[in-house]
Every structure is written in C-alpha cells, then in structure tokens.
Amino acid sequence: MTLASGQSAGPQVVTQYGRILGIYADQAAIFYGVPYAADPVGNLRWQAPQEVTPWGSEVLNATSPRPACPQYDCQRLSPPLVCPKEACLHLDIYTPRAATLNTSYPVMVYIHGGNFVHMASSSPLFDGRRLVTRDVIYVAINYRLGALGFLVTGETSSDAQGNYGILDQQMALRWVQKNIGSFGGDPNQVTLFGQSAGAQSSLLHLTLPSSAPLFQRIIIESSPLAIPYKRFPEAILLGALFAELVGCAPRDVPCLRSKSTQDIVYAQYLARSKVSSLKLLELFEPWGPFVDGQLIEAEPLPMIQAGRFSSKEIMIGTTSEETVLYIYSAWNASVGDVEYGEVVLATYPDHAVKIMYMYPPAYPRDERDTMVKLSTDLVFACSTRNATRNILKKMDSTYLYVWDHAFSFPGWGPIFFCEGRVCHGSEIVYLFQTQWQGNFTFTANEQVLSEQLQIYWTNFAKSGNPNQPTVQQLQWPKYSKDEDWPNLWFKTPSSAVDTDYHGPFCDFWDNVGYAA
C-alpha cells in the first residue's frame, strides 16, 4: 500500500477505509491498485481473504498500476505486466470524469482470464478508459492464481483447502457493494463479466448462493464449460506433486509458507506439466476451482442443468475458433488420422466411434483443424448452447452471440498460432478498444464493430437489454425457440443475426453428454 504525500490535481474519493487519490486520463478518472482485502502473505498465505485495515487520515496513492498476482514468466505476456507480488488483492476502478457522490452509474466488474495462472487487472489489454465514456463505471479485480489461489493439501483447518481465488472474487464483489457509491456508482446495478477463466468464475458465481446478492447481471465470454473440475483426490495429487517440487512434505503447510514467491510459482509451473489424469480435458486447466462440497458443489454446467442457479439477466457467447491456440500449442507438429483417433478415444472412450463419425478425418496430412472444430464445439460452443437452453427453463432474459472476426493486425505474435484465426479472446481488444496499447490501428470496419460491441455491452449493464437505451440499427433478439434460436453473429464487414448456430453438432453433444 502506497500513501500519497502533498496535494494533487487528481480525483479523490473517500471510502470507509480512507481517502484515495487517482489520476485523470483522457475522459476517465482512474484509481489503480485499490486494496479490497488484507495482503495474503505470511500466515495469511492459503487463508480465506481478510478485511483490509483502514489507512486512517493518510491518502492512498492509486495513480499507477500495481503488480500482478504471482505467476510464472509474466514478462512473456504481450503486453507485459507489472510483475509480481503476493500483496496483490486489489482492484482498478475507472469512472467517467463526471462521476460524483451524487451520480449512480451502472457498474461493470471484470474478472480477467488466463487459465487461472496468468494475467491481472492491470494488464493494458483490459484498460477501461474508453469503455467508461459509455456512462458506466468499470472495475477490474485481481485474485490469487495458481498454487497460491487453488492449492489443496487436505481438509483440516491447518491445511490449504483451495478455492482461495474464488473467495477473493467474492470479497472484491462485497467491497464493490460497500464502496462503489463513493465513486459515483450504483451498487444495485452491478454487471459481473469475464472472459475464459473469468467467464468460468462468473458462471460459478451464478451458481453460488453466497454470490447471488452481489450482482444483478452477467456477461459470459468464452467459458470452457465442458472442462471438468478436480475432485478431492485429484486436487490432493496435484498438491502433493507441487509440495515435492518445492521441497516440502505433502501436508507441511508451514514449510510451504516458508518458501519464496519465486519458488512457489516455478513449482506450480512444473507441477501442471507432470500431473497424470484420466480426464484429458482437465490437463488444459491443471490449477483452478475444485469441487470441495462446500463452496463449490459441482461445475457450473451440471448446476445449471439442474436449475440450481440464481436468476440474472444474461449475455453469453463464444468465438468461432476457440481452441486453435490450445490445439496447436499442445500438438506443435502435424497430427495424423491415427493419432487423431487415439486422442478421441482417450478423451471419450464410450463414444469415440460416434464422435469420429460426426467429426471424420478431413485433412490427410494434419488433423489439427479437425481437432479444433471438435474441441471448440465440445468445450465452448455446444456446452454454451446447452447451458443457455437450460437457463431458458427458468428465465428468458438471455442473449447469445458468436464472435467471428480475426485481427486485421499482427496482434497475437508468433507463439500463439492465431494470425488470421478467430482465437479464444479475439473480442477483448475490440471491447476495450485497447489496440492503441500495442500501437495497432483498427480498420474502418473494425472500428464500427468495436463501437457496436461496446454499445451492446454497456446497454446491457444499464438496462439488461443490449438494444436499450442506445438504439443500434441491428437489433439483438433474445435467445428463444420461438425465433429459431437466434444469436448475434459479430463479424466484418457487418454483423448479422444468425439462427441455430452449429445446430446438428450441438444436438449431437446434447445427446452424447459433456462429461467424459
């Protein structure tokens, strides 16, 4: 925590914890690194988040980005993060310049993605200064990642019991409820949204009764709904491997607490490549939430199928080639048809023949694009459709989309296999209009697409309807059988309304099931 000295022309607010100094940037007021919980260090490592201590009459300096939560090799990310410190339970708040104690702007709270091991609220990719020109307040939260956020060593009070990152997110949402009015926001108009692991987290909060009072609306961007969570035996196995790699006995939490942050993040990196699991899909997300039977009873998809979720207005969608970067990273050389069949058999042994019939080998020299089609449908598109149709059994305020536009600029870099592809996360730069952070420029069509995206998202935060109050030429219909299951198809040169996206393939997965 950094305290300011002297006077400043920047914005200041008073919260229940003390005064905060921010900066003006373009048309926004920004407050970086505002603590929402005590620093999870020392004996608070692997403990539920604790209340932050008020800083009294001093002024908290929130004028520059704060470090990310610990993660391995974060300088390789593009753009790089401020790396890393365990004292990372803070959030970044962006408000319109006109925000005061007397305003009541809708609030959009963002949970970043990154496979539960990467990224941060302070990433330039998630800079919200352009978004808040649409008359919303934007809050981006940090939460503990990797082993520090999700380690399980046992079930006793002296063990690490996992799911700390999810508890952090809840703590941040409670902080918003108590304090966002000081920034000119309305705590009764909170939209929770996130992408990838952030979308998983958001859907998880939809199924947690303890999270229900903390937000009113939800936007889900590319949640891998078919990826299974660990159960206790699997979480314990990962924890034991991690402890061995860091040089401790499996349940020696005092020893684990004695290790440096650098030792922790390196051991978590090594552990995720050593875990042996019969659930092949689980290998794509070794660290993350686990089913503890208390906070988390099951993954979001079966909870939604059982009707066990809170009633919220929902926008949900995926990109058209979600798994390109995962498939091409996992198999960095061509995959023949025999190896492709082996992967299908290992993933879905009971239905391998049916799956091979539905997704037959199509590329004699390299079946990775066949694997992309299959895994995008299974993990993202069709499991999302299944969740959406089950949500409709309880409520009808649901909007579905597909993002189908690839960057016109070399934004991915050489290591992601995504040039010219509509990869996982392709929509983010258009939503936040952060192309300038990488010195890139939108084409005229991309600028229109970006403006369209921002208006739909902020309309939804204001009204629960992406078409109001700012009316766009293209109306986004609710997802409904009566209208042939429409979705909004985001693309250039112009977006359109489509119907029954991937219908036969998703019908197939609905019949086969999403649990391997």
Side-chain angles (χ1 to χ4, degrees), residues 46 144-151 162-166 168:
W46 296 305
R144 281 174 283 183
L145 304 170
L148 291 167
F150 298 97
L151 177 68
N163 291 327
Y164 299 110
I166 304 303
D168 293 342

Side-chain angles (χ1 to χ4, degrees), residues 217 313 315 399 455-456 458-469 475-476 478:
R217 301 177 182 119
E313 294 157 326
M315 275 172 42
Y399 298 85
I455 291 172
Y456 283 130
T458 55
N459 268 354
F460 184 77
K462 295 169 186 175
S463 68
N465 182 339
N467 305 297
Q468 298 172 358
Q475 290 288 292
W476 185 345
K478 287 182 181 180

Side-chain angles (χ1 to χ4, degrees), residues 361-384:
Y363 305 92
R365 296 182 180 178
D366 188 357
E367 294 296 338
R368 284 181 292 181
D369 275 358
T370 307
M371 295 166 71
V372 167
K373 292 177 182 177
L374 189 164
S375 55
T376 292
D377 283 351
L378 166 62
V379 178
F380 291 94
C382 295
S383 51
T384 292

Side-chain angles (χ1 to χ4, degrees), residues 126-433:
F126 312 135
D127 185 296
R129 71 187 67 186
R130 304 285 175 86
L131 192 66
V132 300
T133 63
R134 307 283 180 185
D135 294 328
V136 296
I137 286 176
Y138 166 68
V139 180
I141 65 176
N142 268 358
Y143 54 98
R144 281 174 283 183
L145 304 170
L148 291 167
F150 298 97
L151 177 68
V152 178
T153 65
E155 296 179 293
T156 71
S157 59
S158 60
D159 279 303
Q161 297 182 33
N163 291 327
Y164 299 110
I166 304 303
L167 293 172
D168 293 342
Q169 295 167 7
Q170 278 191 334
M171 190 78 158
L173 287 166
R174 292 189 186 100
W175 190 98
V176 169
Q177 286 294 306
K178 295 175 183 176
N179 293 280
I180 203 64
S182 300
F183 295 83
D186 183 353
N188 296 312
Q189 277 209 89
V190 174
T191 297
L192 182 62
F193 72 128
Q195 185 270 341
S196 189
Q200 277 180 276
S201 300
S202 299
L203 269 179
L204 186 55
H205 289 295
L206 189 71
T207 68
L208 300 181
S210 52
S211 295
L214 304 178
F215 62 98
Q216 288 70 46
R217 301 177 182 119
I218 188 169
I219 302 173
I220 306 300
E221 301 176 37
S222 300
S223 176
L225 274 155
I227 289 182
Y229 289 178
K230 288 179 172 58
R231 268 54 183 176
F232 186 73
E234 298 155 334
I236 282 288
L237 172 61
L238 178 60
L241 288 170
F242 165 79
E244 178 184 351
L245 288 165
V246 85
C248 295
R251 296 185 65 180
D252 191 347
V253 176
C255 175
L256 293 170
R257 287 198 175 112
S258 74
K259 298 300 180 179
S260 70
T261 303
Q262 291 74 20
D263 289 340
I264 294 291
V265 296
Y266 187 56
Q268 85 181 27
Y269 170 74
L270 294 178
R272 66 197 301 257
S273 63
K274 292 180 180 291
V275 172
S276 175
S277 174
L278 295 178
K279 298 177 182 177
L280 188 61
L281 289 175
E282 185 185 293
L283 299 179
F284 287 95
E285 194 175 83
W287 295 100
F290 96 103
V291 177
D292 59 9
Q294 299 177 37
L295 179 70
I296 300 175
E297 296 185 45
E299 295 90 342
L301 183 56
M303 292 290 282
I304 289 169
Q305 290 169 338
R308 298 177 64 188
F309 60 94
S310 56
S311 296
K312 310 286 182 182
E313 294 157 326
I314 298 174
M315 275 172 42
I316 188 169
T318 59
T319 72
S320 59
E321 296 182 286
E322 292 277 11
T323 61
V324 168
L325 63 90
Y326 299 106
I327 295 298
Y328 277 79
S329 296
W331 288 272
N332 56 12
S334 61
V335 174
D337 54 1
V338 173
E339 185 179 359
Y340 166 57
E342 291 171 346
V343 171
V344 172
L345 182 62
T347 307
Y348 263 82
D350 294 339
H351 302 287
V353 173
K354 295 178 183 177
I355 293 169
M356 291 289 289
Y357 180 82
M358 199 70 186
Y359 297 87
Y363 305 92
R365 296 182 180 178
D366 188 357
E367 294 296 338
R368 284 181 292 181
D369 275 358
T370 307
M371 295 166 71
V372 167
K373 292 177 182 177
L374 189 164
S375 55
T376 292
D377 283 351
L378 166 62
V379 178
F380 291 94
C382 295
S383 51
T384 292
R385 194 195 81 162
N386 183 276
T388 306
R389 291 191 176 183
N390 277 283
I391 287 167
L392 287 180
K393 296 175 183 178
K394 189 172 181 178
M395 48 180 292
D396 66 354
S397 300
T398 305
Y399 298 85
L400 183 69
Y401 75 87
V402 175
W403 179 268
D404 194 22
H405 175 75
F407 296 169
S408 69
F409 45 87
W412 286 105
I415 67 170
F416 288 112
F417 310 99
C418 282
E419 299 294 346
R421 307 293 293 264
V422 189
C423 277
H424 188 63
S426 293
E427 82 284 2
I428 296 174
V429 67
Y430 299 93
L431 175 60
F432 291 105
Q433 294 189 356

